[in-house]
Amino acid sequence: GQQLNQSPQSMFIQEGEDVSMNCTSSSIFNTWLWYKQDPGEGPVLLIALYKAGELTSNGRLTAQFGITRKDSFLNISASIPSDVGIYFCAGGGNKLVFGAGTILRVKS
Amino acid sequence: ETGVTQTPRHLVMGMTNKKSLKCEQHLGHNAMYWYKQSAKKPLELMFVYSLEERVENNSVPSRFSPECPNSSHLFLHLHTLQPEDSALYLCASSPRGNGGLGGTDTQYFGPGTRLTVL
């Protein structure tokens, strides 16, 4: 079946740093969605992408729908402590397929 | 607040109990979904209801039984569960409900029910 490889699995951030994560697949998707999940809550939609090559921003977040339709990335600029959480990509085809998530933690 | 509510937020049940999870969406959407989220695994789609009709998902054990009485409400009835069924159960809804599994429709999630089976 369709699978997504999301990387990195986890990362530590220092306040003010830029953060990048991505999802790749051997399958083509028609949509890419990025969600954030805080502990004890459901995933919250951050950015939705509907067209290959599309680049969309939401505040400090920027995501792109890869030209090949097999990948997507999410960038967070100038990270702040409340950015910690789990970020999921999801590729939409016949159904929505989710990556395993990227855990963002704060460097102490 | 995403417009999708779930109750209860936490549930502990024995293997012989029968319980139900409830989901309600206030977004006027046409499709609703149940997902299972286990630690360190991607979200697993369990069931899809599109315009109140169930779209088959054959991989879910019969001890999970969904019900969609109308486009705003979705239930998941649980009976004779196993400890490995302990997980976060998430409900989602999406606007279009095009009769498929909702792959190209943006989904909005509720806060989830944390289920523990003893």
Side-chain angles (χ1 to χ4, degrees), chain B residues 27-67:
Chain B
L27 301 169
H29 288 171
N30 288 324
M32 297 185 77
Y33 311 79
W34 280 116
Y35 285 88
K36 177 183 179 183
Q37 186 176 37
S38 305
K40 298 183 182 175
K41 289 172 74 173
L43 271 73
E44 301 170 52
L45 179 64
M46 299 176 71
F47 299 104
V48 180
Y49 275 84
S50 179
L51 296 168
E52 298 161 47
E53 286 195 16
R54 179 171 154 184
V55 179
E56 291 298 328
N57 188 303
N58 297 326
S59 59
V60 183
S62 59
R63 57 186 184 269
F64 296 91
S65 173
E67 180 190 358

Side-chain angles (χ1 to χ4, degrees), chain A residues 87-103:
Chain A
Y87 292 79
F88 292 98
C89 63
N94 177 43
K95 63 178 182 178
L96 210 53
V97 179
F98 285 82
T102 294
I103 303 172

